[in-house]
Amino acid sequence: MIKRNLLVMGLAVLLSACGFQLRGTGHTELAIKELDVTARNSYGETVQQLRQVLENSGVKVYSGAAYKLNLLDEKEEQRNLSYASAGRASDIELSTTLFFEIQGHDHLPLMGDKIQVQKVVSHDGNNLVGSDSETIQVRKEMRRELVQRMLLRLQLITPEKLDQLQQTADNKAKADADALKAAQEYENSQPKQSPVEVPAE
């Protein structure tokens, strides 16, 4: 018994040393240490879960952070993969797509992308209540997976990368402003056409 316990403990230590973690346990280390997180639906489950997961990973989430993760839109769709004959279930593909953008100073967009999760469920026309209940549960699992994938994306971003993106965005904004100013100055320098006077008869 003691030998078996020692063996289990030894394997656990060995696996943790290799970086192995059971799903949903441990913390994901992020280089970003502070972040503002907003969404179109600020009370939605996705943004609430994401804030919680980020805080559990050591990220300070608050509205005054230098960089903002904005969840622009979340679309849930489904389509039939097969049509059921009498007494058989049909397959339905569920998909959830999350569109996001990271903003820097002055709300300048630094980068944007989307994350998509797909699952296939069976829909039994003879058991609508059970099928709908399963669909709701699968949607919840998909949302958790969506949050985990978002966390993995953020894991790849460093403060240095954000600073580079900010510099690029600042340069573009300045170039756009200079071009607009030059166009305005050129327009102002052009002689204005006098209104045509109609000679009196």
Side-chain angles (χ1 to χ4, degrees):
M1 183 70 177
I2 295 176
K3 287 183 178 180
R4 189 173 69 180
N5 288 341
L6 289 174
L7 178 61
V8 170
M9 289 175 61
L11 285 172
V13 171
L14 181 62
L15 288 173
S16 63
C18 295
F20 176 83
Q21 288 181 340
L22 290 175
R23 185 176 179 180
T25 64
H27 298 290
T28 303
E29 188 69 26
L30 274 80
I32 304 172
K33 295 306 177 187
E34 59 178 36
L35 191 66
D36 185 8
V37 181
T38 61
R40 177 180 294 179
N41 179 8
S42 57
Y43 297 100
E45 292 184 32
T46 301
V47 68
Q48 296 288 354
Q49 287 185 25
L50 183 56
R51 286 193 186 111
Q52 186 64 52
V53 170
L54 284 170
E55 289 172 352
N56 290 343
S57 299
V59 179
K60 184 179 180 182
V61 180
Y62 68 106
S63 60
Y67 297 100
K68 176 191 292 186
L69 171 62
N70 188 10
L71 307 185
L72 301 172
D73 196 12
E74 183 177 344
K75 291 184 178 179
E76 292 185 347
E77 298 175 318
Q78 69 177 49
R79 67 186 182 97
N80 291 324
L81 296 179
S82 64
Y83 293 91
S85 57
R88 295 186 60 187
S90 59
D91 291 330
I92 296 177
E93 181 186 72
L94 304 177
S95 67
T96 304
T97 307
L98 180 66
F99 299 86
F100 68 92
E101 181 179 76
I102 294 182
Q103 299 174 350
H105 308 297
D106 301 322
H107 305 290
L108 290 175
L110 306 185
M111 62 177 293
D113 205 348
K114 67 178 181 179
I115 299 173
Q116 188 176 60
V117 175
Q118 295 175 325
K119 299 285 184 184
V120 176
V121 297
S122 294
H123 190 272
D124 187 354
N126 297 322
N127 183 15
L128 294 177
V129 174
S131 294
D132 289 345
S133 178
E134 181 186 0
T135 299
I136 292 172
Q137 183 60 38
V138 171
R139 285 286 187 193
K140 289 181 179 179
E141 293 173 3
M142 290 171 68
R143 184 174 293 110
R144 285 194 292 268
E145 185 173 340
L146 207 63
V147 169
Q148 288 299 322
R149 290 191 184 186
M150 184 73 254
L151 200 65
L152 290 174
R153 290 286 188 93
L154 293 174
Q155 223 179 340
L156 301 175
I157 302 174
T158 64
E160 292 77 18
K161 177 65 174 177
L162 288 176
D163 289 343
Q164 291 175 5
L165 292 171
Q166 182 69 61
Q167 186 63 51
T168 301
D170 288 341
N171 293 339
K172 183 179 183 303
K174 184 178 184 303
D176 290 345
D178 290 344
L180 182 62
K181 182 180 178 182
Q184 189 66 47
E185 289 177 349
Y186 175 77
E187 183 180 343
N188 293 338
S189 67
Q190 298 303 303
K192 299 295 187 290
Q193 184 176 358
S194 301
V196 176
E197 294 183 4
V198 179
E201 294 183 1

